[in-house]
Amino acid sequence: MSSASAKETKLTAPYGSWKSPFTADLVSGSDTRLGGFTADPRGLLIWLESRPTESGRTVLVRQAEKEGDKPVDITPKDFGVRTVAQEYGGGAFSISGDTVIFSNYKDQRLYKKSMSSEDSVPVPLTPDYDGPLVCYADGVFDSRYNRYLTVREDRRESSTNPTTTIVSVDLSINNIEEPKILVGGNDFYAFPRIDRKGERVAWIEWGHPNMPWDRSELWVGYISENGDIQNRTCIAGGDPSIVESPTEPKWSPEGELFFITDRKNGFWNIHKWVESTNAVLPVYSLNAEFARPLWVFGMNSYEFVLNPGQKNLIACSYRKKGRSYLGILDVTQSSISLLDIPFTDIKNITSGLDCLYVEGASAVHPLSLAKVILDDQKSKAVDFNIIWSSSSIDSDYRPYLSSPELIEFPTEVPGESAYAYFYPPTNPHYQASQEEKPPLLLKSHGGPTAETRGILNLSIQFWTSRGWAFVDVNYGGSTGYGREYRDRLVGHWGIVDVNDCCSCAKYLVDSGKVDGERLCITGGSAGGYTTLAALAFRETFKAGASLYGVADLKSLRADTHKFESRYIDNLVGSENAYFERSPINFVHKFSCPIILFQGLEDKVVLPNQARKIYHALKDKGLPVALVEYEGEQHGFRKAENIKFTLEQQMMFFARLVGHFQVADDITSIKIDNLD
């Protein structure tokens, strides 16, 4: 698999037919995901990884003490560390000293375990409810009262409308007791955070119909002698005249409360609360995002930096125009020193001993965890070392990598632009004839309040190394570009996203980069909805793939889980719009082939939505295929299913719009109305 030398003659072959080292096995086996990380008292990194090769089991892992040794699994094989709180989970573990407390996937109970003793058996802390009826997330230790404060989602009375509260779990008794409710009454809670002295607790809460990025509130309560929370004060989000969504509260070592909010300029910036005057002050203002939308619990976008000069320093990252920057913020001076590291995309940060641990990626680095050592002044990075990576590919693969190009393209609204990452076909051994333009696969991301990022993603390289062009669109409504851009989708889901995806494809055709007769579209979840809507209501694309996509907006509202049950009210609006923008109601408008993939345990988008589309298209006579997976939820976690989905999408598109033979030895599934 050596790269093509300068003298080597490239083979001329049609786009899409090229041989590639990026096999579906390689892609699916390397799709390891990260579920959070922290450092233990010795400074060793501890992280949570999901393993597709173990049916998506999530395992808590500790960095090896000696360099060169393998990391050590902390949790035993019959445990999976994962919470299903708010369906998307996150914040599934927390450590204090040698103790880890984690959520176990099968029963959703909290367990504690010694991290140093590999043979120690996890001990349950919360009651057994004969099933995963109660789940916990985003917990913190309260050493003053020897207890654990955590968000609890209780589904005992209603699985569709569970009760969310902040509770305390007593760590001092051997008998398992019902957790004590400390804060309740609103629809949702996140980020319970206790100050160093155990005297105050901060948290975020919000209620229907808002999502946490629409409007939320930051509260502080004072902890009484008996451990209750009293004298509660709303710090941010309570003034109806200020539109904001505070997030990520955190107490500094000196006891000051910092948090991130998007008041005034519409970008998530770092602020602090002045307790004596109950004032909120901006720490540093920039038209850039210092946080991400709260889809999962436990995000950590900034961290206090201990330093000998006793400066008030914060390690933070911000995102501007599709790129992340890592910096050290001097709170006193209100200035940032940017750190020069290879990552162009950063998610979470945590402090180690005299270092930072950073979760990030770039066009040549897959999602990874790196140790960043700072100089004595804490203003420069002097060493950068990757400790964990979601996938490992050696240097032989480098010549096959397609680098993302951030493109800004005009939308249907005069004067407005949207953004995407374009990946050209790249393979050192192949070229196509001069007359041919490559087929395009356009991806519409999920969320829809999310952001696609220009990082090394092997599933994208799977396509580009075979001769496909690939474009990943951040349509209006995506995050990373401020509230105004995010709000473009309010009331216009199914219109703005669809228009932007079609405009992006047209822009690439007009630029001469892709073949206008071979445009395909794919997407999962909300991206699957955009895919289906684009295929039903527009004629831009020639084929599509929907992965657990929404077909019926009304059914989604009726059937989905509590966290998102009112989400689409803001995105869609009127009852008429629910009908008019649901692809299932306009099957007669579909005019091209579609392949659908669906997990049978999906509680976000129920399987009947995919089945309705499948049967309707089959009856209409259009080429269609439906793949259903036992044991999969919203998003596929098992390696064999990730592989099958990738291969069958490629075969489907190749057979129906590609006009080429794929190089891989893959048997296509039966396509109705074709085979």
Side-chain angles (χ1 to χ4, degrees), residues 95 226 358 481 563 624:
I95 71 164
N226 66 356
V358 179
Y481 300 88
F563 177 57
V624 64

Side-chain angles (χ1 to χ4, degrees), residues 473-545:
V473 184
N474 274 319
Y475 47 78
S478 302
T479 46
Y481 300 88
R483 181 182 280 270
E484 188 179 325
Y485 194 83
R486 198 164 74 238
D487 282 351
R488 283 187 190 178
L489 210 58
V490 173
H492 295 95
W493 191 30
I495 298 173
V496 167
D497 48 324
V498 169
N499 286 345
D500 286 358
C501 286
C502 294
S503 295
C504 182
K506 181 178 183 298
Y507 172 81
L508 293 171
V509 172
D510 292 345
S511 305
K513 292 184 175 181
V514 301
D515 183 349
E517 295 304 311
R518 293 190 292 174
L519 303 177
C520 301
I521 183 170
T522 185
S525 188
Y529 166 68
T530 301
T531 293
L532 292 171
L535 296 172
F537 305 126
R538 303 290 288 270
E539 295 182 352
T540 304
F541 299 97
K542 308 301 180 185

Side-chain angles (χ1 to χ4, degrees), residues 88-278:
Y88 298 108
F93 76 95
S94 187
I95 71 164
S96 178
D98 180 51
T99 301
V100 60
I101 291 178
F102 66 88
S103 293
N104 183 44
Y105 175 57
K106 284 182 183 173
D107 58 12
Q108 288 297 297
R109 297 172 75 186
L110 287 179
Y111 288 77
K112 72 174 178 178
K113 184 187 182 299
S114 163
M115 291 188 294
S116 59
S117 172
E118 291 176 36
D119 298 328
S120 72
V121 178
V123 177
L125 293 172
T126 52
D128 182 359
Y129 300 111
D130 294 323
L133 296 173
V134 177
C135 39
Y136 308 86
D138 213 7
V140 290
F141 287 82
D142 181 0
S143 56
R144 181 182 171 196
Y145 290 95
N146 194 24
R147 62 183 180 174
Y148 190 69
L149 265 60
T150 179
V151 176
R152 181 179 74 175
E153 189 176 80
D154 189 341
R155 307 177 182 188
R156 282 175 287 180
E157 289 188 12
S158 170
S159 60
T160 55
N161 189 31
T163 303
T164 304
T165 51
I166 296 173
V167 300
S168 68
V169 178
D170 198 329
L171 303 178
S172 63
I173 52 177
N174 292 323
N175 295 329
I176 296 172
E177 291 189 349
E178 185 74 20
K180 179 182 179 182
I181 295 174
L182 297 177
V183 181
N186 213 333
D187 290 309
F188 304 99
Y189 295 90
F191 294 111
R193 299 296 184 258
I194 301 171
D195 70 8
R196 294 279 174 105
K197 294 180 180 178
E199 296 173 347
R200 296 166 297 175
V201 59
W203 68 89
I204 298 292
E205 63 178 70
W206 68 98
H208 284 320
N210 292 312
M211 297 301 281
W213 49 82
D214 295 325
R215 277 181 178 267
S216 58
E217 297 174 358
L218 167 64
W219 286 75
V220 167
Y222 295 81
I223 301 175
S224 68
E225 286 301 314
N226 66 356
D228 289 334
I229 296 175
Q230 58 188 20
N231 300 332
R232 303 174 190 193
T233 305
C234 183
I235 307 303
D239 184 344
S241 68
I242 300 175
V243 178
E244 64 177 326
S245 50
T247 185
E248 293 196 54
K250 190 173 290 192
W251 299 96
S252 74
E254 295 76 35
E256 288 188 301
L257 181 66
F258 288 75
F259 62 99
I260 298 174
T261 191
D262 58 347
R263 59 169 59 186
K264 292 190 177 174
N265 70 352
F267 288 85
W268 276 309
N269 287 182
I270 298 177
H271 290 67
K272 76 171 183 177
W273 174 52
V274 182
E275 187 175 12
S276 58
T277 59
N278 196 29

